[in-house]
Structure formats: structure tokens, C-alpha cells
Amino acid sequence: MGAVTPPRPPAAKSPKQDRSRATRQRLLEAAVACLAEHGWAGSTVSVVAERAGVSRGAAQHHFPTREDLFTGAVEYVAEERSAALRALPVQGRTAVVAALVDLYTGPLFRAALQLWVAASNEDQLRPRVTELEARVGRETHRIAVELLGADEESPGVRETVQGLLDMARGLGLANVLTDDRARRERVVAQWARLLDETLG
């Protein structure tokens, strides 16, 4: 009977893997920033690669097409925001409503908005953005229900939470052209009061 070879310990991540992961993350973050600042027309793979400090070839190694890069970027940042939302301590409904509204007033929303506009005119992009938006929307709704302590079995609660998210998106649109912070704060406070009445 031959000697039994002990199992190998799991291999540590190589510096090359770490560099590759860091490069990918820089590309994703640069892509969101470019979309938010320059729109779809001004956001090319070359522009993103330059902003990320990598070659165009390195960018295309990670993301073979422009659509891969930008849908991946919005998905990545959406996941980061979802994780941040899930980590929020429950501090009352006003804080939760404000945090949810903040999702729609930052660079991620601006980038997503540019993707939506581009997808409305580009057939190859539309199905990817539609699927991504549906997935992000479901996850955001699920997190909102948890943070608000909402019971969706009660009549009207699901629609109330969805109305909050739709309202937050509208506030995000209003904020694209002008700083709408003062009005937004009043709306957030009113929605928190309405939620307290509806959700108990």
C-alpha cells in the first residue's frame, strides 16, 4: 500500500491575482465615474482605461466589450451600495428613508441613468440593462422592506414600499439638474411620517 499524500493547504492568492482584482475594481469605479460625468457618448473604453491608469488592452482583457464594462460597473457599485444599506443600523424610519433616497442622488444613479438612456436607443444594450435594473430593483425593494420593518402580508404595504422607491427615483431625477436638497429633506420627513402611519 502506498503512502497517503496529505491534502495540500489551500493556495494563497498570488500577487498576480491581487493585481488583477485591483485592476478590475479600478476599471469598474472609473467606468461609473465616467458615465456619471460624461454620459454614454463620452465614456469609451479608452477614456475609462486612462482614468483607471491601465492600458486599453488590460481593460479589454477584463471586459471584452463596452457593454460588459459599463453594465458590470453599475452592477458592481449597486452591490456595494446594497451591502452598505444592509449594514445600516436601524435608527428610525426617517434615517432609513433618507438612506434609500441617497441611493438615487449620487454618482451611481447618474451612471445608471446614462445607461438607461443609452439602452433605450441601443438594441444590444437594452436586454442587459433591463435585466440588471430588474435585479437591482428587486434587491433594493427587499432591503427596504427589511430596514423599514414592513410586513408585506398586510394590504397596501408592498405598494407603499414600492411607492417610496419610485418617489426616491423621482427625487434623484430632480437632483440631476439642480441641487434639490432642501425640498428633498422635507419630502423625506413627510414620507417617514406616512410610513409610520401605514406600517405602524
Side-chain angles (χ1 to χ4, degrees):
M1 191 186 275
V4 177
T5 306
R8 291 183 180 178
K13 290 183 181 121
S14 71
K16 185 176 181 180
Q17 286 174 315
D18 289 341
R19 281 194 307 274
S20 178
R21 189 174 292 105
T23 298
R24 181 181 173 84
Q25 184 168 342
R26 283 201 317 274
L27 284 164
L28 292 169
E29 291 170 353
V32 168
C34 285
L35 265 182
E37 292 170 19
H38 307 299
W40 176 255
S43 298
T44 63
V45 174
S46 296
V47 167
V48 172
E50 183 178 341
R51 185 177 187 129
V54 303
S55 69
R56 181 184 168 90
Q60 289 182 309
H61 169 75
H62 287 279
F63 301 99
T65 69
R66 184 182 187 205
E67 291 78 17
D68 291 335
L69 174 60
F70 288 105
T71 55
V74 170
E75 182 172 26
Y76 163 76
V77 180
E79 288 169 0
E80 293 288 303
R81 293 303 303 269
S82 292
L85 267 181
R86 282 192 296 269
L88 274 179
V90 177
Q91 303 170 335
R93 290 212 170 103
T94 301
V96 171
V97 172
L100 290 167
V101 167
D102 284 349
L103 278 179
Y104 296 97
T105 55
L108 171 60
F109 179 74
R110 287 177 179 267
L113 184 58
Q114 294 296 331
L115 262 188
W116 298 343
V117 172
S120 71
N121 297 311
E122 299 202 17
D123 292 339
Q124 76 277 13
L125 189 58
R126 187 178 304 119
R128 297 182 70 169
V129 173
T130 301
E131 190 276 331
L132 172 62
E133 175 58 21
R135 193 158 19 102
V136 169
R138 284 191 303 269
E139 177 66 7
T140 304
H141 185 99
R142 187 168 37 252
I143 292 168
V145 167
E146 290 172 14
L147 290 174
L148 293 166
D151 176 10
E152 288 196 297
E153 298 299 314
S154 297
V157 169
R158 179 172 183 74
E159 292 76 14
T160 299
V161 173
Q162 191 57 53
L164 164 64
L165 296 175
D166 291 343
M167 179 273 302
R169 188 179 293 114
L171 290 174
L173 283 171
N175 198 60
V176 167
L177 296 177
T178 59
D179 183 351
D180 203 32
R181 190 175 302 120
R183 184 175 72 94
R184 191 166 65 242
E185 287 172 1
R186 293 193 303 275
V187 173
V188 163
Q190 178 62 20
W191 261 91
R193 285 191 290 272
L194 292 172
L195 287 169
D196 280 335
E197 291 172 12
T198 304
L199 304 180

